[in-house]
Coordinates of all heavy atoms in Angstrom, one line a residue:
M1 N -15.6 -179.8 -132.1 CA -16.3 -181.0 -132.7 C -17.4 -180.5 -133.6 O -17.9 -179.4 -133.4 CB -16.8 -181.8 -131.6 CG -17.9 -181.2 -130.8 SD -18.4 -182.2 -129.4 CE -19.4 -183.5 -130.2
S2 N -17.8 -181.2 -134.6 CA -18.9 -180.8 -135.4 C -20.1 -181.7 -134.9 O -20.0 -182.7 -134.4 CB -18.7 -181.0 -136.9 OG -18.4 -182.4 -137.0
C3 N -21.3 -181.1 -135.1 CA -22.5 -181.7 -134.6 C -22.8 -183.1 -135.2 O -22.7 -183.3 -136.4 CB -23.7 -180.7 -135.0 SG -25.3 -181.4 -134.5
P4 N -23.0 -184.0 -134.3 CA -23.3 -185.3 -134.8 C -24.7 -185.6 -135.3 O -25.0 -186.7 -135.8 CB -23.1 -186.2 -133.5 CG -23.5 -185.3 -132.4 CD -23.1 -183.9 -132.8
G5 N -25.5 -184.6 -135.2 CA -26.9 -184.7 -135.6 C -27.1 -184.6 -137.1 O -28.2 -184.8 -137.7
G6 N -26.0 -184.3 -137.9 CA -26.1 -184.4 -139.3 C -26.1 -183.0 -139.9 O -25.9 -182.9 -141.2
C7 N -26.3 -181.9 -139.1 CA -26.3 -180.6 -139.7 C -24.9 -180.1 -140.0 O -24.7 -179.1 -140.7 CB -27.1 -179.7 -138.8 SG -26.3 -179.4 -137.2
G8 N -23.9 -180.7 -139.3 CA -22.5 -180.3 -139.6 C -22.1 -178.9 -138.9 O -21.0 -178.5 -139.1
V9 N -22.9 -178.4 -138.1 CA -22.6 -177.2 -137.3 C -21.4 -177.4 -136.4 O -21.3 -178.5 -135.8 CB -23.8 -176.6 -136.6 CG1 -23.4 -175.8 -135.4 CG2 -24.7 -175.8 -137.6
Q10 N -20.6 -176.5 -136.4 CA -19.5 -176.6 -135.4 C -19.9 -176.2 -134.0 O -20.4 -175.2 -133.8 CB -18.3 -175.7 -135.9 CG -16.9 -176.1 -135.5 CD -16.5 -177.4 -136.0 OE1 -17.0 -177.7 -137.1 NE2 -15.6 -178.1 -135.4
I11 N -19.7 -177.1 -133.1 CA -20.1 -176.9 -131.7 C -18.9 -176.4 -131.0 O -17.8 -177.2 -130.9 CB -20.6 -178.2 -131.1 CG1 -21.8 -178.6 -131.9 CG2 -21.0 -177.9 -129.7 CD1 -22.4 -180.0 -131.4
S12 N -19.0 -175.3 -130.3 CA -17.9 -174.8 -129.4 C -18.3 -174.9 -128.0 O -19.3 -174.3 -127.7 CB -17.5 -173.5 -129.8 OG -18.5 -172.5 -129.8
L13 N -17.7 -175.7 -127.2 CA -18.0 -175.9 -125.9 C -17.1 -175.1 -125.0 O -15.9 -175.2 -125.1 CB -18.0 -177.4 -125.4 CG -19.0 -178.3 -126.3 CD1 -18.7 -179.7 -125.9 CD2 -20.3 -177.9 -126.0
S14 N -17.6 -174.3 -124.1 CA -16.8 -173.5 -123.2 C -16.3 -174.3 -122.0 O -17.2 -174.8 -121.3 CB -17.5 -172.3 -122.7 OG -16.7 -171.6 -121.8
L15 N -15.0 -174.5 -121.9 CA -14.5 -175.2 -120.7 C -14.0 -174.2 -119.7 O -13.4 -174.5 -118.6 CB -13.4 -176.2 -121.1 CG -13.9 -177.3 -122.1 CD1 -12.7 -178.2 -122.4 CD2 -15.0 -178.1 -121.5
N16 N -14.2 -172.9 -120.0 CA -13.7 -171.9 -119.2 C -14.7 -171.7 -118.0 O -15.9 -171.5 -118.1 CB -13.7 -170.6 -120.0 CG -13.1 -169.4 -119.2 OD1 -13.2 -169.3 -118.0 ND2 -12.6 -168.4 -119.9
P17 N -14.2 -171.9 -116.8 CA -15.1 -171.9 -115.6 C -15.7 -170.5 -115.4 O -16.7 -170.4 -114.6 CB -14.1 -172.2 -114.4 CG -12.8 -172.0 -114.9 CD -12.8 -172.2 -116.4
D18 N -15.2 -169.4 -116.0 CA -15.8 -168.1 -115.8 C -16.9 -167.8 -116.7 O -17.6 -166.8 -116.6 CB -14.7 -167.0 -116.0 CG -13.6 -167.1 -115.0 OD1 -13.9 -167.6 -113.9 OD2 -12.5 -166.7 -115.4
R19 N -17.2 -168.7 -117.6 CA -18.3 -168.5 -118.6 C -19.3 -169.6 -118.4 O -19.1 -170.7 -118.0 CB -17.7 -168.6 -120.0 CG -16.8 -167.4 -120.3 CD -16.4 -167.4 -121.7 NE -17.5 -167.5 -122.6 CZ -17.4 -167.7 -123.9 NH1 -16.1 -167.9 -124.5 NH2 -18.4 -167.8 -124.8
R20 N -20.6 -169.2 -118.7 CA -21.7 -170.2 -118.6 C -22.5 -170.1 -119.9 O -22.6 -169.1 -120.5 CB -22.5 -169.7 -117.5 CG -21.8 -169.9 -116.2 CD -22.8 -169.7 -114.9 NE -21.9 -169.6 -113.8 CZ -21.4 -170.8 -113.2 NH1 -21.7 -171.9 -113.6 NH2 -20.6 -170.6 -112.1
P21 N -23.0 -171.2 -120.4 CA -22.8 -172.6 -119.7 C -21.4 -173.0 -120.0 O -20.7 -172.7 -120.9 CB -23.8 -173.4 -120.4 CG -24.0 -172.9 -121.8 CD -23.7 -171.4 -121.6
R22 N -21.0 -173.9 -119.1 CA -19.7 -174.5 -119.3 C -19.8 -176.0 -119.1 O -20.8 -176.5 -118.5 CB -18.7 -174.1 -118.3 CG -18.9 -174.4 -116.9 CD -17.7 -173.9 -116.0 NE -16.6 -174.7 -116.3 CZ -16.2 -175.8 -115.6 NH1 -17.0 -176.3 -114.7 NH2 -15.1 -176.4 -115.9
W23 N -18.9 -176.7 -119.6 CA -19.0 -178.2 -119.5 C -17.7 -178.8 -118.8 O -16.7 -178.2 -119.0 CB -19.1 -178.8 -120.9 CG -20.4 -178.7 -121.5 CD1 -21.4 -179.6 -121.4 CD2 -21.0 -177.6 -122.2 NE1 -22.6 -179.2 -122.0 CE2 -22.3 -178.0 -122.5 CE3 -20.5 -176.4 -122.6 CZ2 -23.2 -177.1 -123.1 CZ3 -21.3 -175.5 -123.2 CH2 -22.6 -175.9 -123.6
S24 N -17.9 -179.8 -118.1 CA -16.8 -180.4 -117.5 C -16.5 -181.7 -118.4 O -17.4 -182.4 -118.8 CB -17.0 -180.8 -116.1 OG -18.0 -181.7 -115.9
V25 N -15.2 -182.0 -118.5 CA -14.8 -183.2 -119.2 C -14.1 -184.1 -118.3 O -13.1 -183.6 -117.7 CB -14.1 -182.9 -120.5 CG1 -13.6 -184.1 -121.2 CG2 -14.8 -181.9 -121.4
E26 N -14.4 -185.3 -118.2 CA -13.6 -186.3 -117.5 C -13.1 -187.3 -118.5 O -13.9 -187.7 -119.4 CB -14.5 -186.9 -116.4 CG -14.8 -186.1 -115.3 CD -15.7 -186.8 -114.3 OE1 -15.8 -188.0 -114.2 OE2 -16.4 -186.1 -113.5
T27 N -11.9 -187.7 -118.3 CA -11.3 -188.7 -119.2 C -11.0 -189.9 -118.4 O -10.4 -189.8 -117.4 CB -10.1 -188.1 -119.9 OG1 -10.3 -186.8 -120.4 CG2 -9.5 -189.0 -121.0
D28 N -11.4 -191.0 -119.0 CA -11.2 -192.2 -118.2 C -9.8 -192.8 -118.5 O -9.0 -192.2 -119.3 CB -12.3 -193.3 -118.5 CG -12.3 -193.8 -119.9 OD1 -11.3 -193.6 -120.6 OD2 -13.3 -194.5 -120.3
F29 N -9.5 -193.9 -118.0 CA -8.2 -194.5 -118.2 C -7.8 -194.7 -119.6 O -6.6 -194.6 -119.9 CB -8.3 -195.9 -117.5 CG -7.0 -196.7 -117.5 CD1 -6.0 -196.4 -116.7 CD2 -6.8 -197.7 -118.5 CE1 -4.8 -197.1 -116.8 CE2 -5.6 -198.4 -118.5 CZ -4.6 -198.1 -117.6
W30 N -8.7 -194.9 -120.5 CA -8.4 -195.1 -121.9 C -8.5 -193.8 -122.7 O -8.4 -193.8 -123.9 CB -9.4 -196.1 -122.5 CG -9.2 -197.5 -122.0 CD1 -8.3 -198.4 -122.4 CD2 -9.9 -198.1 -120.9 NE1 -8.4 -199.6 -121.6 CE2 -9.4 -199.4 -120.7 CE3 -10.9 -197.6 -120.0 CZ2 -9.8 -200.2 -119.7 CZ3 -11.3 -198.5 -119.0 CH2 -10.9 -199.8 -118.9
G31 N -8.6 -192.7 -122.0 CA -8.6 -191.4 -122.7 C -9.9 -191.1 -123.3 O -10.0 -190.2 -124.2
R32 N -11.0 -191.7 -122.9 CA -12.3 -191.5 -123.5 C -13.0 -190.4 -122.7 O -13.2 -190.5 -121.5 CB -13.2 -192.7 -123.6 CG -12.5 -193.9 -124.3 CD -13.3 -195.1 -124.3 NE -13.5 -195.6 -122.9 CZ -14.1 -196.7 -122.6 NH1 -14.5 -197.6 -123.6 NH2 -14.2 -197.1 -121.3
P33 N -13.4 -189.3 -123.4 CA -14.1 -188.2 -122.7 C -15.5 -188.5 -122.3 O -16.3 -189.0 -123.2 CB -13.9 -187.1 -123.7 CG -14.0 -187.7 -125.1 CD -13.3 -189.1 -124.8
T34 N -15.9 -188.0 -121.2 CA -17.3 -188.0 -120.8 C -17.6 -186.6 -120.4 O -16.8 -186.0 -119.5 CB -17.5 -188.9 -119.6 OG1 -17.3 -190.3 -120.0 CG2 -19.0 -188.8 -119.0
M35 N -18.6 -186.0 -121.0 CA -18.8 -184.6 -120.7 C -20.2 -184.5 -120.0 O -21.1 -185.2 -120.2 CB -18.9 -183.8 -122.1 CG -17.6 -184.0 -122.8 SD -17.6 -183.1 -124.4 CE -17.8 -181.5 -123.8
S36 N -20.2 -183.4 -119.2 CA -21.5 -183.0 -118.5 C -21.6 -181.6 -118.4 O -20.6 -180.9 -118.2 CB -21.5 -183.7 -117.1 OG -20.6 -183.2 -116.3
P37 N -22.7 -181.0 -118.5 CA -24.0 -181.7 -118.7 C -24.2 -182.1 -120.2 O -23.2 -182.1 -120.9 CB -25.0 -180.6 -118.3 CG -24.4 -179.3 -118.7 CD -22.9 -179.6 -118.3
S38 N -25.3 -182.5 -120.6 CA -25.6 -182.9 -121.9 C -25.5 -181.7 -122.9 O -25.6 -180.5 -122.4 CB -27.0 -183.5 -122.1 OG -28.0 -182.6 -121.7
I39 N -25.3 -181.9 -124.1 CA -25.2 -180.9 -125.1 C -26.5 -180.7 -125.8 O -27.0 -181.7 -126.4 CB -24.0 -181.1 -126.0 CG1 -22.8 -181.3 -125.2 CG2 -23.9 -180.2 -127.1 CD1 -21.7 -182.1 -125.9
H40 N -27.1 -179.5 -125.8 CA -28.3 -179.3 -126.5 C -28.1 -178.2 -127.5 O -27.8 -177.0 -127.1 CB -29.4 -178.9 -125.5 CG -30.8 -179.0 -126.1 ND1 -31.9 -178.7 -125.4 CD2 -31.2 -179.3 -127.4 CE1 -33.0 -178.8 -126.2 NE2 -32.6 -179.2 -127.4
Q41 N -28.3 -178.5 -128.8 CA -28.1 -177.6 -129.8 C -29.4 -176.8 -130.0 O -30.4 -177.4 -130.4 CB -27.8 -178.3 -131.2 CG -26.4 -178.8 -131.3 CD -25.5 -177.6 -131.7 OE1 -25.1 -176.8 -130.8 NE2 -25.3 -177.4 -132.9
H42 N -29.3 -175.6 -129.7 CA -30.6 -174.8 -129.9 C -30.7 -174.2 -131.4 O -31.8 -173.9 -131.8 CB -30.6 -173.6 -128.9 CG -30.7 -174.0 -127.5 ND1 -31.8 -174.5 -126.9 CD2 -29.7 -174.1 -126.5 CE1 -31.6 -174.9 -125.7 NE2 -30.3 -174.7 -125.4
R43 N -29.6 -174.2 -132.0 CA -29.7 -173.8 -133.4 C -29.7 -175.0 -134.3 O -29.6 -176.1 -133.7 CB -28.4 -172.9 -133.8 CG -28.4 -171.6 -133.0 CD -27.1 -170.9 -133.1 NE -26.0 -171.8 -132.6 CZ -24.7 -171.6 -132.9 NH1 -24.4 -170.8 -133.9 NH2 -23.8 -172.4 -132.3
A44 N -29.7 -174.8 -135.6 CA -29.5 -175.9 -136.5 C -30.5 -177.0 -136.2 O -31.6 -176.8 -136.1 CB -28.1 -176.3 -136.5
C45 N -30.0 -178.2 -136.0 CA -30.9 -179.4 -136.0 C -31.5 -179.6 -134.6 O -32.3 -180.5 -134.4 CB -30.2 -180.6 -136.4 SG -28.9 -181.1 -135.4
S46 N -31.1 -178.8 -133.6 CA -31.6 -178.9 -132.3 C -31.5 -180.3 -131.7 O -32.5 -180.8 -131.0 CB -33.1 -178.3 -132.2 OG -34.0 -179.2 -132.8
C47 N -30.5 -180.8 -131.9 CA -30.2 -182.2 -131.3 C -29.8 -182.1 -129.9 O -29.3 -181.0 -129.5 CB -29.2 -183.0 -132.2 SG -27.7 -182.1 -132.4
H48 N -29.9 -183.2 -129.2 CA -29.6 -183.2 -127.8 C -29.0 -184.5 -127.5 O -29.5 -185.5 -127.7 CB -31.0 -183.0 -127.0 CG -30.8 -182.8 -125.5 ND1 -31.9 -182.9 -124.7 CD2 -29.7 -182.5 -124.7 CE1 -31.4 -182.6 -123.5 NE2 -30.1 -182.4 -123.5
F49 N -27.8 -184.4 -126.9 CA -27.0 -185.7 -126.7 C -26.1 -185.5 -125.6 O -25.7 -184.4 -125.1 CB -26.3 -186.1 -128.0 CG -25.3 -185.0 -128.5 CD1 -24.0 -185.1 -128.1 CD2 -25.7 -184.0 -129.3 CE1 -23.1 -184.1 -128.5 CE2 -24.8 -183.0 -129.7 CZ -23.5 -183.0 -129.4
W50 N -25.6 -186.7 -125.1 CA -24.5 -186.7 -124.2 C -23.3 -187.3 -124.8 O -23.5 -188.1 -125.8 CB -24.9 -187.7 -123.1 CG -26.1 -187.3 -122.1 CD1 -27.4 -187.5 -122.4 CD2 -26.0 -186.6 -120.9 NE1 -28.2 -187.0 -121.4 CE2 -27.4 -186.5 -120.5 CE3 -25.0 -186.1 -120.2 CZ2 -27.6 -185.9 -119.3 CZ3 -25.3 -185.5 -119.0 CH2 -26.6 -185.3 -118.5
V51 N -22.1 -187.0 -124.3 CA -20.9 -187.6 -124.7 C -20.4 -188.4 -123.5 O -20.2 -187.9 -122.5 CB -19.8 -186.6 -125.2 CG1 -18.5 -187.4 -125.5 CG2 -20.3 -185.8 -126.3
K52 N -20.6 -189.7 -123.7 CA -20.1 -190.6 -122.6 C -19.1 -191.6 -123.1 O -19.3 -192.3 -124.1 CB -21.4 -191.4 -122.0 CG -22.3 -190.4 -121.4 CD -23.5 -191.2 -120.7 CE -24.4 -190.2 -120.0 NZ -25.6 -190.8 -119.6
K53 N -17.9 -191.6 -122.5 CA -16.9 -192.5 -122.8 C -16.5 -192.4 -124.3 O -16.3 -193.4 -125.0 CB -17.2 -193.9 -122.4 CG -17.3 -194.0 -120.9 CD -17.5 -195.5 -120.5 CE -17.8 -195.5 -119.0 NZ -18.2 -196.9 -118.5
G54 N -16.6 -191.2 -124.8 CA -16.2 -190.9 -126.2 C -17.2 -191.2 -127.2 O -17.0 -191.1 -128.4
L55 N -18.4 -191.7 -126.7 CA -19.5 -192.0 -127.6 C -20.7 -191.1 -127.5 O -20.9 -190.5 -126.4 CB -20.0 -193.4 -127.4 CG -18.9 -194.5 -127.6 CD1 -19.4 -195.9 -127.1 CD2 -18.6 -194.6 -129.1
I56 N -21.4 -190.9 -128.6 CA -22.6 -190.0 -128.5 C -23.8 -190.8 -128.0 O -24.1 -192.0 -128.5 CB -22.9 -189.6 -130.0 CG1 -21.8 -188.8 -130.6 CG2 -24.2 -188.7 -130.0 CD1 -21.4 -187.5 -129.8
E57 N -24.4 -190.3 -127.0 CA -25.6 -191.0 -126.5 C -26.8 -190.0 -126.6 O -26.8 -189.0 -126.1 CB -25.4 -191.3 -125.1 CG -26.5 -192.3 -124.5 CD -26.0 -192.8 -123.2 OE1 -25.0 -193.6 -123.1 OE2 -26.7 -192.6 -122.2
W58 N -27.8 -190.3 -127.5 CA -28.8 -189.4 -127.8 C -29.8 -189.3 -126.6 O -30.2 -190.3 -126.1 CB -29.6 -189.9 -129.0 CG -28.7 -189.7 -130.2 CD1 -28.0 -190.8 -130.8 CD2 -28.2 -188.6 -130.9 NE1 -27.2 -190.2 -131.9 CE2 -27.4 -188.9 -131.9 CE3 -28.5 -187.2 -130.7 CZ2 -26.8 -188.0 -132.8 CZ3 -27.9 -186.3 -131.5 CH2 -27.1 -186.6 -132.6
C59 N -30.3 -188.0 -126.4 CA -31.4 -187.8 -125.6 C -32.7 -187.9 -126.4 O -32.7 -187.2 -127.5 CB -31.3 -186.5 -124.9 SG -30.3 -186.4 -123.6
R60 N -33.8 -188.5 -125.9 CA -35.0 -188.5 -126.6 C -36.1 -188.0 -125.6 O -36.0 -188.1 -124.4 CB -35.3 -189.9 -127.0 CG -34.4 -190.4 -128.1 CD -34.6 -191.8 -128.4 NE -33.4 -192.4 -129.0 CZ -33.1 -192.4 -130.3 NH1 -34.0 -191.8 -131.1 NH2 -32.1 -192.9 -130.7
Ligands
ZN101 ZN1 -26.9 -180.7 -135.6

């Protein structure tokens, strides 16, 4: 996925349990992903957000 913060940086999330940090993705009945924990971009625009039910939810 590319960063929703507007900087366009490509975000690679590790789902590999042997690597940290890693994220878990749960998909609901409609196939909408919810990811945890939140995603914090330390580079680029340093945005911080959650993906809940396929939607971006900003942390402030
Ligand atoms: Zn960004």
Side-chain angles (χ1 to χ4, degrees):
M1 68 186 283
S2 60
C3 179
C7 67
V9 153
Q10 204 67 23
I11 302 174
S12 57
L13 299 174
S14 173
L15 300 178
N16 184 336
D18 296 331
R19 290 183 54 189
R20 294 188 191 279
R22 68 175 291 268
W23 284 264
S24 64
V25 181
E26 288 177 20
T27 307
D28 70 8
F29 181 79
W30 294 274
R32 301 177 300 188
T34 294
M35 302 180 63
S36 66
S38 62
I39 299 157
H40 193 180
Q41 282 283 86
H42 295 285
R43 297 169 295 157
C45 66
S46 73
C47 54
H48 190 189
F49 59 94
W50 296 85
V51 176
K52 291 181 178 174
K53 296 179 181 174
L55 297 172
I56 303 297
E57 192 168 296
W58 294 103
C59 277
R60 295 170 202 275

